[in-house]
Coordinates of all heavy atoms in Angstrom, one line a residue:
M1 N 106.6 85.2 61.0 CA 107.0 85.2 62.3 C 108.5 85.4 62.3 O 109.3 84.9 61.6 CB 106.7 83.9 62.9 CG 107.0 83.8 64.4 SD 106.5 82.2 65.0 CE 105.5 82.7 66.3
A2 N 109.0 86.3 63.3 CA 110.4 86.6 63.3 C 111.2 85.5 64.0 O 110.7 84.8 64.9 CB 110.6 87.9 64.1
S3 N 112.4 85.4 63.6 CA 113.3 84.4 64.2 C 113.8 84.9 65.5 O 113.7 86.1 65.8 CB 114.5 84.1 63.3 OG 115.2 85.2 63.1
R4 N 114.4 84.1 66.3 CA 114.9 84.5 67.6 C 116.3 85.1 67.5 O 117.2 84.4 67.3 CB 114.9 83.3 68.6 CG 113.6 82.7 68.9 CD 113.7 81.5 69.8 NE 114.3 82.0 71.1 CZ 114.9 81.2 71.9 NH1 115.0 79.9 71.6 NH2 115.5 81.6 73.0
P5 N 116.4 86.4 67.7 CA 117.7 87.0 67.5 C 118.6 86.6 68.7 O 119.8 86.7 68.5 CB 117.4 88.5 67.6 CG 116.1 88.7 68.2 CD 115.3 87.4 67.9
S6 N 118.1 86.2 69.8 CA 118.9 85.9 71.0 C 119.8 84.7 70.6 O 120.9 84.6 71.1 CB 118.1 85.6 72.2 OG 117.2 84.6 72.0
A7 N 119.3 83.7 69.9 CA 120.1 82.5 69.5 C 121.3 82.9 68.7 O 122.4 82.4 68.9 CB 119.2 81.5 68.7
V8 N 121.1 83.9 67.7 CA 122.2 84.3 66.9 C 123.2 85.1 67.8 O 124.4 84.9 67.7 CB 121.6 85.2 65.7 CG1 122.8 85.8 65.0 CG2 120.8 84.4 64.8
T9 N 122.6 86.0 68.6 CA 123.5 86.7 69.5 C 124.4 85.8 70.4 O 125.6 86.0 70.5 CB 122.7 87.7 70.4 OG1 121.9 88.5 69.6 CG2 123.6 88.5 71.3
N10 N 123.7 84.8 71.0 CA 124.5 83.9 71.8 C 125.5 83.1 71.0 O 126.6 82.9 71.5 CB 123.5 82.9 72.5 CG 122.7 83.5 73.6 OD1 123.0 84.6 74.1 ND2 121.6 82.9 73.9
E11 N 125.2 82.7 69.8 CA 126.2 82.0 69.0 C 127.3 82.9 68.6 O 128.5 82.5 68.7 CB 125.5 81.5 67.7 CG 126.4 80.6 66.9 CD 125.7 80.0 65.7 OE1 124.6 79.5 65.9 OE2 126.3 80.1 64.6
N12 N 127.1 84.2 68.3 CA 128.1 85.2 68.0 C 129.0 85.4 69.2 O 130.2 85.6 69.1 CB 127.5 86.5 67.5 CG 127.0 86.3 66.1 OD1 127.4 85.4 65.3 ND2 126.1 87.2 65.7
Y13 N 128.3 85.5 70.4 CA 129.1 85.7 71.6 C 130.1 84.6 71.9 O 131.2 84.8 72.2 CB 128.1 85.9 72.8 CG 128.8 86.0 74.1 CD1 129.4 87.3 74.4 CD2 128.9 85.0 75.0 CE1 130.0 87.4 75.6 CE2 129.6 85.1 76.2 CZ 130.1 86.4 76.5 OH 130.8 86.5 77.7
R14 N 129.7 83.4 71.7 CA 130.5 82.2 71.9 C 131.7 82.2 70.9 O 132.8 81.7 71.3 CB 129.8 80.9 71.7 CG 129.0 80.6 73.0 CD 128.3 79.3 72.9 NE 126.9 79.6 72.8 CZ 126.0 79.0 72.0 NH1 126.4 78.0 71.3 NH2 124.7 79.4 72.0
S15 N 131.6 82.8 69.8 CA 132.7 82.8 68.8 C 133.7 84.0 69.0 O 134.7 84.0 68.4 CB 132.2 82.9 67.4 OG 131.5 84.1 67.1
Q16 N 133.4 84.9 70.0 CA 134.3 86.0 70.3 C 135.4 85.5 71.1 O 135.3 84.6 72.0 CB 133.5 87.1 71.0 CG 132.4 87.7 70.3 CD 132.8 88.6 69.2 OE1 133.9 89.2 69.3 NE2 132.1 88.6 68.1
P17 N 136.6 86.1 70.9 CA 137.8 85.7 71.7 C 137.5 86.2 73.2 O 136.8 87.2 73.4 CB 138.9 86.4 71.1 CG 138.5 87.2 69.9 CD 137.0 87.0 69.8
S18 N 138.1 85.5 74.1 CA 137.9 85.9 75.5 C 138.7 87.2 75.8 O 139.5 87.6 75.0 CB 138.5 84.8 76.4 OG 139.9 84.7 76.3
M19 N 138.3 87.8 76.9 CA 139.0 89.0 77.3 C 140.5 88.7 77.5 O 141.4 89.5 77.0 CB 138.5 89.5 78.7 CG 139.2 90.7 79.3 SD 139.0 92.2 78.3 CE 137.5 92.7 79.0
A20 N 140.9 87.6 78.1 CA 142.3 87.3 78.2 C 143.0 87.1 76.8 O 144.1 87.6 76.7 CB 142.4 86.0 79.0
D21 N 142.3 86.5 75.9 CA 142.9 86.4 74.5 C 143.1 87.8 73.9 O 144.1 88.1 73.2 CB 142.0 85.5 73.6 CG 142.0 84.1 74.0 OD1 143.0 83.7 74.8 OD2 141.1 83.3 73.6
R22 N 142.1 88.7 74.0 CA 142.2 90.0 73.4 C 143.3 90.8 74.1 O 144.0 91.5 73.4 CB 140.8 90.7 73.6 CG 139.7 90.1 72.7 CD 138.5 91.0 72.6 NE 138.0 91.6 73.8 CZ 137.1 91.0 74.6 NH1 136.5 89.8 74.2 NH2 136.7 91.6 75.7
M23 N 143.5 90.7 75.4 CA 144.5 91.4 76.1 C 145.9 90.8 75.7 O 146.9 91.6 75.6 CB 144.3 91.4 77.6 CG 143.1 92.2 78.1 SD 143.1 93.9 77.5 CE 141.9 94.0 76.2
A24 N 146.0 89.5 75.5 CA 147.2 88.9 75.1 C 147.7 89.5 73.8 O 148.9 89.7 73.6 CB 147.1 87.4 75.1
V25 N 146.7 89.6 72.8 CA 147.0 90.2 71.5 C 147.5 91.6 71.7 O 148.5 92.1 71.1 CB 145.8 90.1 70.6 CG1 146.0 90.9 69.3 CG2 145.5 88.7 70.2
L26 N 146.8 92.4 72.5 CA 147.2 93.8 72.8 C 148.6 93.9 73.3 O 149.4 94.7 72.8 CB 146.2 94.4 73.8 CG 146.6 95.8 74.3 CD1 146.5 96.8 73.2 CD2 145.7 96.2 75.4
V27 N 148.9 93.1 74.3 CA 150.2 93.2 74.9 C 151.3 92.8 73.9 O 152.4 93.4 73.8 CB 150.3 92.3 76.2 CG1 151.8 92.1 76.7 CG2 149.4 92.8 77.3
K28 N 151.0 91.8 73.1 CA 152.0 91.3 72.1 C 152.2 92.5 71.0 O 153.3 92.8 70.7 CB 151.4 90.1 71.4 CG 152.3 89.5 70.3 CD 151.7 88.2 69.7 CE 152.7 87.5 68.8 NZ 152.9 88.2 67.5
Q29 N 151.1 93.1 70.6 CA 151.2 94.2 69.6 C 152.0 95.4 70.2 O 152.8 95.9 69.5 CB 149.8 94.7 69.2 CG 149.0 93.7 68.4 CD 149.4 93.7 67.0 OE1 149.7 94.7 66.4 NE2 149.6 92.5 66.4
V30 N 151.7 95.7 71.4 CA 152.5 96.9 72.0 C 153.9 96.5 72.1 O 154.8 97.3 71.8 CB 151.9 97.2 73.4 CG1 152.8 98.2 74.1 CG2 150.5 97.8 73.2
G31 N 154.2 95.3 72.5 CA 155.6 94.8 72.7 C 156.4 94.8 71.4 O 157.6 94.8 71.4
E32 N 155.7 94.7 70.2 CA 156.3 94.7 68.9 C 156.5 96.0 68.3 O 157.1 96.1 67.2 CB 155.5 93.8 68.0 CG 155.5 92.3 68.4 CD 154.6 91.4 67.5 OE1 153.8 92.0 66.8 OE2 154.7 90.2 67.6
V33 N 156.1 97.1 69.0 CA 156.3 98.5 68.4 C 157.8 98.8 68.3 O 158.5 98.7 69.4 CB 155.5 99.5 69.3 CG1 155.9 100.9 68.8 CG2 154.0 99.3 69.2
K34 N 158.3 99.1 67.1 CA 159.7 99.4 66.9 C 160.0 100.7 67.7 O 159.4 101.7 67.5 CB 160.0 99.6 65.5 CG 159.9 98.3 64.7 CD 160.4 98.5 63.2 CE 160.2 97.4 62.3 NZ 160.2 96.1 62.6
G35 N 161.1 100.6 68.5 CA 161.5 101.8 69.3 C 160.9 101.9 70.6 O 161.4 102.7 71.4
L36 N 159.9 101.2 70.9 CA 159.3 101.2 72.3 C 160.1 100.4 73.2 O 160.3 99.2 72.9 CB 157.8 100.8 72.2 CG 157.1 100.8 73.5 CD1 157.0 102.2 74.1 CD2 155.7 100.2 73.4
V37 N 160.5 101.0 74.3 CA 161.4 100.3 75.3 C 160.5 99.5 76.2 O 159.7 100.1 76.9 CB 162.3 101.3 76.0 CG1 163.1 100.6 77.1 CG2 163.2 102.0 75.1
L38 N 160.7 98.2 76.2 CA 160.0 97.3 77.2 C 160.4 97.7 78.6 O 161.5 98.1 78.9 CB 160.3 95.8 77.0 CG 159.9 95.3 75.6 CD1 160.2 93.8 75.5 CD2 158.4 95.5 75.3
K39 N 159.4 97.6 79.5 CA 159.6 98.0 80.9 C 159.7 99.5 81.1 O 160.1 99.9 82.2 CB 160.8 97.2 81.5 CG 160.6 95.7 81.5 CD 161.7 95.0 82.3 CE 162.9 94.7 81.5 NZ 163.9 93.9 82.2
S40 N 159.4 100.3 80.1 CA 159.5 101.7 80.3 C 158.1 102.2 80.7 O 157.1 101.5 80.5 CB 159.8 102.4 78.9 OG 158.8 102.3 78.0
P41 N 158.0 103.4 81.3 CA 156.7 103.9 81.7 C 155.7 104.0 80.4 O 154.5 103.8 80.5 CB 157.0 105.3 82.3 CG 158.3 105.1 82.8 CD 159.0 104.2 81.9
L42 N 156.3 104.4 79.3 CA 155.5 104.5 78.1 C 154.9 103.1 77.7 O 153.7 103.0 77.3 CB 156.3 105.0 76.9 CG 155.5 105.2 75.6 CD1 154.3 106.2 75.8 CD2 156.5 105.8 74.5
Y43 N 155.7 102.1 77.8 CA 155.2 100.7 77.5 C 154.0 100.4 78.4 O 152.9 100.0 77.9 CB 156.3 99.7 77.8 CG 155.9 98.3 77.7 CD1 155.7 97.6 76.5 CD2 155.8 97.5 78.9 CE1 155.3 96.3 76.4 CE2 155.4 96.2 78.8 CZ 155.2 95.6 77.6 OH 154.8 94.2 77.6
W44 N 154.1 100.5 79.7 CA 153.0 100.2 80.7 C 151.8 101.1 80.5 O 150.7 100.6 80.5 CB 153.5 100.3 82.1 CG 154.6 99.3 82.4 CD1 155.9 99.6 82.8 CD2 154.6 97.9 82.4 NE1 156.7 98.5 82.9 CE2 155.8 97.4 82.7 CE3 153.6 97.0 82.1 CZ2 156.1 96.0 82.8 CZ3 153.8 95.6 82.1 CH2 155.1 95.2 82.5
E45 N 152.0 102.4 80.3 CA 150.9 103.3 80.1 C 150.2 103.0 78.8 O 149.0 103.2 78.7 CB 151.4 104.8 80.1 CG 151.9 105.2 81.5 CD 150.7 105.4 82.5 OE1 149.6 105.7 82.1 OE2 151.0 105.1 83.7
S46 N 150.9 102.6 77.8 CA 150.3 102.2 76.5 C 149.4 101.0 76.6 O 148.3 101.0 76.1 CB 151.4 101.9 75.4 OG 152.2 103.0 75.2
I47 N 149.8 100.0 77.4 CA 149.0 98.8 77.6 C 147.7 99.3 78.3 O 146.6 98.9 78.0 CB 149.7 97.8 78.4 CG1 150.8 97.2 77.5 CG2 148.8 96.7 78.9 CD1 151.8 96.2 78.2
D48 N 147.9 100.1 79.4 CA 146.7 100.6 80.1 C 145.7 101.3 79.3 O 144.5 101.1 79.3 CB 147.1 101.5 81.3 CG 147.7 100.7 82.5 OD1 147.5 99.5 82.5 OD2 148.4 101.3 83.3
L49 N 146.2 102.3 78.5 CA 145.4 103.1 77.6 C 144.6 102.2 76.6 O 143.4 102.3 76.5 CB 146.2 104.2 76.9 CG 145.4 104.9 75.8 CD1 144.4 105.9 76.4 CD2 146.4 105.6 74.8
L50 N 145.4 101.4 75.9 CA 144.7 100.6 74.8 C 143.8 99.5 75.4 O 142.9 99.2 74.7 CB 145.8 100.0 73.9 CG 146.7 101.1 73.2 CD1 147.9 100.4 72.5 CD2 145.9 101.9 72.3
A51 N 144.0 99.1 76.6 CA 143.1 98.1 77.2 C 141.8 98.7 77.5 O 140.8 98.1 77.5 CB 143.8 97.5 78.4
Q52 N 141.8 100.0 77.9 CA 140.7 100.7 78.4 C 139.9 101.5 77.3 O 138.7 101.7 77.5 CB 141.0 101.7 79.5 CG 141.6 101.0 80.8 CD 142.1 101.9 81.8 OE1 141.6 103.1 81.9 NE2 143.0 101.5 82.6
D53 N 140.6 101.9 76.3 CA 140.0 102.8 75.3 C 139.9 102.2 74.0 O 140.9 102.0 73.2 CB 140.9 104.1 75.2 CG 140.3 105.2 74.3 OD1 139.4 104.9 73.4 OD2 140.7 106.3 74.5
E54 N 138.7 101.8 73.6 CA 138.4 101.0 72.4 C 138.8 101.8 71.1 O 139.3 101.3 70.2 CB 137.0 100.5 72.4 CG 136.6 99.6 71.2 CD 135.2 99.1 71.3 OE1 134.6 99.2 72.3 OE2 134.8 98.4 70.3
V55 N 138.5 103.1 71.1 CA 138.8 103.9 70.0 C 140.3 104.0 69.7 O 140.8 103.8 68.6 CB 138.1 105.3 70.1 CG1 138.6 106.3 69.0 CG2 136.6 105.2 70.1
S56 N 141.0 104.3 70.8 CA 142.5 104.4 70.7 C 143.1 103.1 70.3 O 144.0 103.0 69.4 CB 143.1 104.9 72.0 OG 142.7 106.2 72.3
R57 N 142.5 102.0 70.8 CA 143.0 100.7 70.4 C 142.7 100.4 68.9 O 143.6 99.9 68.2 CB 142.3 99.6 71.3 CG 142.8 98.2 71.0 CD 142.3 97.2 72.0 NE 140.8 97.1 72.1 CZ 140.1 97.5 73.2 NH1 140.7 98.1 74.2 NH2 138.8 97.4 73.2
G58 N 141.6 100.8 68.4 CA 141.3 100.6 67.0 C 142.2 101.4 66.1 O 142.7 100.9 65.1
I59 N 142.5 102.7 66.5 CA 143.4 103.5 65.8 C 144.8 102.9 65.8 O 145.4 102.8 64.7 CB 143.4 104.9 66.3 CG1 142.1 105.6 66.1 CG2 144.6 105.8 65.7 CD1 141.9 106.9 66.9
F60 N 145.2 102.5 66.9 CA 146.6 101.9 67.1 C 146.7 100.7 66.1 O 147.7 100.5 65.4 CB 146.8 101.4 68.5 CG 148.1 100.7 68.8 CD1 149.3 101.3 68.9 CD2 148.0 99.3 68.9 CE1 150.5 100.6 69.1 CE2 149.2 98.6 69.1 CZ 150.4 99.2 69.2
Y61 N 145.7 99.8 66.1 CA 145.8 98.6 65.3 C 145.8 98.9 63.8 O 146.4 98.3 63.0 CB 144.6 97.6 65.6 CG 144.7 96.8 66.9 CD1 143.6 96.4 67.5 CD2 146.0 96.5 67.4 CE1 143.7 95.6 68.7 CE2 146.1 95.8 68.6 CZ 144.9 95.3 69.2 OH 145.0 94.6 70.4
A62 N 145.1 100.0 63.4 CA 145.0 100.4 62.0 C 146.2 101.1 61.5 O 146.4 101.2 60.3 CB 143.7 101.3 61.8
L63 N 147.0 101.7 62.4 CA 148.1 102.5 61.9 C 149.2 101.6 61.3 O 149.4 100.5 61.8 CB 148.7 103.3 63.1 CG 148.0 104.5 63.6 CD1 148.6 105.0 64.9 CD2 147.9 105.6 62.6
P64 N 150.0 102.2 60.4 CA 151.1 101.5 59.9 C 152.1 101.3 61.0 O 152.2 102.2 61.9 CB 151.7 102.4 58.8 CG 150.7 103.4 58.6 CD 149.8 103.5 59.7
D65 N 152.9 100.3 61.0 CA 153.9 100.0 62.0 C 154.8 101.2 62.3 O 155.1 101.5 63.5 CB 154.8 98.8 61.7 CG 154.0 97.5 61.8 OD1 152.9 97.5 62.4 OD2 154.5 96.5 61.2
Q66 N 155.2 101.9 61.3 CA 156.2 103.0 61.5 C 155.5 104.2 62.2 O 156.2 105.1 62.7 CB 156.8 103.5 60.2 CG 155.9 104.1 59.2 CD 155.3 103.1 58.2 OE1 155.3 101.9 58.5 NE2 154.8 103.5 57.1
C67 N 154.2 104.2 62.4 CA 153.5 105.4 63.0 C 153.1 105.0 64.5 O 152.7 105.9 65.2 CB 152.3 105.7 62.2 SG 152.6 106.4 60.6
K68 N 153.2 103.8 64.9 CA 152.6 103.4 66.2 C 153.3 104.0 67.4 O 152.7 104.5 68.3 CB 152.6 101.9 66.3 CG 151.6 101.2 65.4 CD 151.5 99.8 65.5 CE 150.4 99.3 64.6 NZ 150.1 97.9 64.7
L69 N 154.6 104.1 67.4 CA 155.4 104.7 68.5 C 155.0 106.2 68.6 O 154.7 106.7 69.7 CB 156.9 104.5 68.3 CG 157.7 105.1 69.4 CD1 157.4 104.6 70.8 CD2 159.2 105.0 69.1
H70 N 155.0 106.9 67.5 CA 154.7 108.3 67.5 C 153.2 108.5 68.0 O 153.0 109.4 68.8 CB 154.8 108.9 66.1 CG 154.6 110.3 66.0 ND1 155.5 111.2 66.5 CD2 153.6 111.1 65.5 CE1 155.1 112.5 66.4 NE2 153.9 112.4 65.7
Y71 N 152.3 107.7 67.6 CA 150.9 107.8 68.1 C 150.9 107.6 69.6 O 150.2 108.4 70.3 CB 150.0 106.7 67.4 CG 148.6 106.7 68.0 CD1 147.7 107.7 67.6 CD2 148.2 105.7 68.8 CE1 146.4 107.7 68.1 CE2 146.9 105.7 69.3 CZ 146.0 106.7 69.0 OH 144.7 106.7 69.5
L72 N 151.6 106.6 70.1 CA 151.6 106.4 71.6 C 152.2 107.5 72.3 O 151.7 108.0 73.4 CB 152.3 105.1 71.9 CG 151.6 103.8 71.4 CD1 152.5 102.6 71.6 CD2 150.2 103.6 72.1
Q73 N 153.3 108.1 71.8 CA 154.0 109.2 72.4 C 153.1 110.5 72.4 O 153.1 111.2 73.4 CB 155.3 109.5 71.7 CG 156.3 108.5 72.0 CD 157.6 108.6 71.1 OE1 157.5 109.0 70.0 NE2 158.7 108.3 71.7
R74 N 152.3 110.6 71.4 CA 151.4 111.8 71.3 C 150.2 111.6 72.3 O 149.7 112.6 72.9 CB 150.8 112.0 69.9 CG 151.8 112.5 68.9 CD 151.2 112.6 67.5 NE 150.0 113.4 67.5 CZ 149.9 114.7 67.2 NH1 151.0 115.4 66.9 NH2 148.8 115.3 67.2
K75 N 149.8 110.4 72.5 CA 148.6 110.1 73.4 C 149.0 110.1 74.9 O 148.2 110.4 75.8 CB 148.0 108.8 73.1 CG 147.3 108.7 71.8 CD 146.0 109.5 71.7 CE 144.9 108.9 72.5 NZ 143.6 109.6 72.5
I76 N 150.3 109.7 75.1 CA 150.7 109.4 76.5 C 152.0 110.2 76.8 O 153.0 110.2 76.1 CB 151.0 107.9 76.7 CG1 149.8 107.1 76.4 CG2 151.5 107.6 78.1 CD1 150.1 105.6 76.1
N77 N 152.0 111.0 77.9 CA 153.2 111.7 78.3 C 153.9 110.9 79.3 O 153.7 111.1 80.5 CB 152.7 113.1 78.9 CG 153.9 114.0 79.2 OD1 155.0 113.8 78.6 ND2 153.7 114.9 80.0
A78 N 154.8 110.0 78.8 CA 155.5 109.1 79.7 C 156.9 108.9 79.0 O 157.0 108.9 77.8 CB 154.8 107.8 79.9
S79 N 157.9 108.6 79.9 CA 159.2 108.3 79.4 C 159.3 107.0 78.6 O 158.6 106.0 79.0 CB 160.2 108.2 80.6 OG 161.4 107.7 80.2
N80 N 160.2 106.9 77.6 CA 160.4 105.7 76.9 C 161.8 105.1 77.3 O 162.4 104.5 76.5 CB 160.3 106.0 75.4 CG 160.3 104.7 74.6 OD1 159.8 103.6 75.1 ND2 160.7 104.7 73.4
K81 N 162.2 105.4 78.5 CA 163.4 104.8 79.0 C 163.1 103.7 80.0 O 162.2 103.9 80.8 CB 164.2 105.9 79.7 CG 164.7 107.0 78.8 CD 165.7 107.9 79.4 CE 166.1 109.1 78.6 NZ 166.3 109.0 77.3
E82 N 163.8 102.6 80.0 CA 163.6 101.5 80.9 C 163.7 102.0 82.3 O 164.7 102.6 82.7 CB 164.6 100.4 80.6 CG 164.3 99.1 81.4 CD 165.2 98.0 81.1 OE1 165.8 98.0 80.0 OE2 165.3 97.0 81.8
E83 N 162.7 101.6 83.1 CA 162.8 101.9 84.6 C 163.3 100.7 85.3 O 163.0 99.5 84.9 CB 161.5 102.4 85.1 CG 160.3 101.5 84.8 CD 159.0 102.1 85.3 OE1 158.9 103.2 85.8 OE2 158.0 101.4 85.3
Y84 N 164.2 100.9 86.3 CA 164.8 99.8 87.0 C 163.8 99.4 88.1 O 163.1 100.2 88.8 CB 166.0 100.3 87.7 CG 166.6 99.3 88.7 CD1 167.2 98.1 88.2 CD2 166.4 99.4 90.0 CE1 167.7 97.2 89.1 CE2 166.8 98.4 90.9 CZ 167.5 97.3 90.4 OH 167.9 96.3 91.3
H85 N 163.6 98.1 88.2 CA 162.8 97.5 89.2 C 163.6 96.2 89.6 O 163.8 95.3 88.7 CB 161.4 97.2 88.7 CG 160.5 96.7 89.8 ND1 160.5 95.4 90.3 CD2 159.6 97.4 90.6 CE1 159.6 95.3 91.2 NE2 159.1 96.5 91.4
P86 N 163.9 96.0 90.9 CA 164.7 94.8 91.3 C 164.0 93.5 91.0 O 164.7 92.5 90.9 CB 164.9 95.0 92.8 CG 164.0 96.1 93.2 CD 163.6 96.9 92.0
G87 N 162.7 93.5 90.8 CA 162.0 92.2 90.5 C 162.0 91.8 89.1 O 161.6 90.7 88.7
Y88 N 162.4 92.7 88.2 CA 162.4 92.4 86.8 C 163.5 91.4 86.4 O 164.6 91.4 86.9 CB 162.7 93.6 85.9 CG 161.5 94.6 85.8 CD1 161.8 95.9 85.5 CD2 160.2 94.2 85.9 CE1 160.7 96.8 85.4 CE2 159.2 95.1 85.8 CZ 159.4 96.4 85.5 OH 158.4 97.2 85.4
Y89 N 163.2 90.4 85.6 CA 164.1 89.5 85.1 C 164.8 90.1 83.9 O 164.2 90.6 82.9 CB 163.4 88.2 84.6 CG 164.2 87.2 83.9 CD1 165.2 86.5 84.6 CD2 164.1 87.0 82.5 CE1 166.0 85.6 83.9 CE2 164.9 86.1 81.9 CZ 165.9 85.4 82.6 OH 166.7 84.5 82.0
S90 N 166.1 90.2 84.0 CA 166.9 90.9 82.9 C 167.2 89.9 81.7 O 167.6 90.4 80.7 CB 168.2 91.4 83.5 OG 169.1 90.4 83.9
G91 N 167.1 88.7 81.9 CA 167.4 87.7 80.9 C 168.9 87.3 80.9 O 169.3 86.4 80.2
S92 N 169.7 88.0 81.6 CA 171.2 87.7 81.7 C 171.5 87.0 83.0 O 172.7 86.7 83.3 CB 172.0 89.0 81.5 OG 171.7 89.9 82.6
D93 N 170.5 86.8 83.9 CA 170.8 86.2 85.2 C 171.0 84.7 85.1 O 170.4 84.0 84.4 CB 169.7 86.5 86.2 CG 169.5 88.0 86.4 OD1 169.9 88.8 85.6 OD2 168.9 88.3 87.4

């Protein structure tokens, strides 16, 4: 007689990190890319792309650190210059 696979599936599901946890890791990883300007269009578009595209996210995570910025620039046509927004906290206020 076969065992109940649903019990194993449910147990595995419970051990998975939540969506919020996975996105927090993603945002942290994108923010640590050397040369990527925080608050730039490329930064925001990178988060959007990697949050939505599992294959691109897997490639991004697997790449050596020195290749991550180049990968994002090839995938996304966006500026890597900080955009001004009056609501941003600059850290010097």
